[in-house]
Amino acid sequence: MPHINAAAALQICVLLSAFPAQYFISQWYGMDSIQRIQRTERIIASWSSFTKSYLSLDAWADRLRLWLSKTRTCLNAGLLILHFRSWYSGEENPKIVNNGVEIHSYFAESTHVRSPKPEYIQFSVGQVIVHKRFGYSGVIVGWDVKAQAPEEWLQHKYPPAKQDLKDTPHYRILINKANGFGKSTAYIPEEEITIIMGLEVVHHPDMKAYFSGYDGSKYIMQPWLKKIYPHD
């Protein structure tokens, strides 16, 4: 096989490029003036689009921001999956650290098993409720024996005259979207709840994640939720 040096390779490339160049020139001079103008405009538009997409610092900055956003989303999803696996396996109070910040189990989202269930907890996960003051309906998806929330939230929620409410049972609620209340969830004390019997329809995008059906009196918990609230 003959040896091809750099000069010979360059000559071959020039010869090969001559064919498409000749075709382009023949096509170009075979056009009338209007067609040439249209072809020129298309070439200019294509080049402009290429430079804006690939030769612009702003375009590459946008791509970088999008990539970082997707990376953060994947990281958060991975943390949630790890969190789910840990408490589904029965681990109490799992701790996951995200950028050095511990994820706290606030607002009845703690994954430790509620067993035994205190007798003073009147209501159960899956029951449909109505808020006594605001009138919206919803379904219970969790409870704490007393308010579990950041101190700043507790101070804002309960002024000095209502400090005693912090030590009463609190419930996490998925709010019925049909009410048009504006919020999707709530964390409220037991004294603000009234139970509704026989009301099945609660519209909320997370219903299927928590419940598998309705038995006529309350929603049926998914297995993972039943594991946390075995006596509800």
Side-chain angles (χ1 to χ4, degrees), residues 52-143:
K52 289 180 180 179
S53 299
Y54 298 100
L55 300 182
S56 168
L57 292 178
D58 291 337
W60 284 106
D62 290 339
R63 287 190 179 91
L64 179 59
R65 284 193 290 268
L66 179 61
W67 179 80
L68 291 174
S69 176
K70 290 181 178 179
T71 301
R72 285 194 296 268
T73 300
C74 291
L75 176 60
N76 291 336
L79 289 172
L80 288 174
I81 291 172
L82 179 60
H83 189 51
F84 174 84
R85 288 176 177 173
S86 63
W87 55 253
Y88 187 76
S89 64
E91 178 183 349
E92 293 193 0
N93 294 324
K95 296 180 180 179
I96 299 175
V97 176
N98 185 5
N99 295 327
V101 180
E102 181 179 325
I103 298 176
H104 295 277
S105 297
Y106 292 143
F107 307 114
E109 292 186 310
S110 172
T111 56
H112 75 272
V113 178
R114 294 351 187 240
S115 180
K117 181 179 182 179
E119 294 182 358
Y120 55 84
I121 301 293
Q122 296 185 37
F123 308 129
S124 300
V125 173
Q127 287 185 304
V128 179
I129 65 95
V130 168
H131 195 285
K132 292 181 179 178
R133 289 191 296 127
F134 298 131
Y136 62 76
S137 61
V139 60
I140 298 172
V141 294
W143 51 260

Side-chain angles (χ1 to χ4, degrees), residues 14-63:
V14 171
L15 288 173
L16 291 175
S17 64
F19 293 103
Q22 184 179 5
Y23 173 79
F24 177 80
I25 292 172
S26 65
Q27 291 292 316
W28 180 266
Y29 284 101
M31 302 177 183
D32 57 30
S33 59
I34 295 178
Q35 289 176 323
R36 289 173 186 167
I37 293 173
Q38 292 174 343
R39 176 64 63 86
T40 302
E41 289 176 346
R42 286 198 294 268
I43 293 173
I44 294 173
S46 298
W47 175 251
S48 176
S49 176
F50 175 81
T51 56
K52 289 180 180 179
S53 299
Y54 298 100
L55 300 182
S56 168
L57 292 178
D58 291 337
W60 284 106
D62 290 339
R63 287 190 179 91

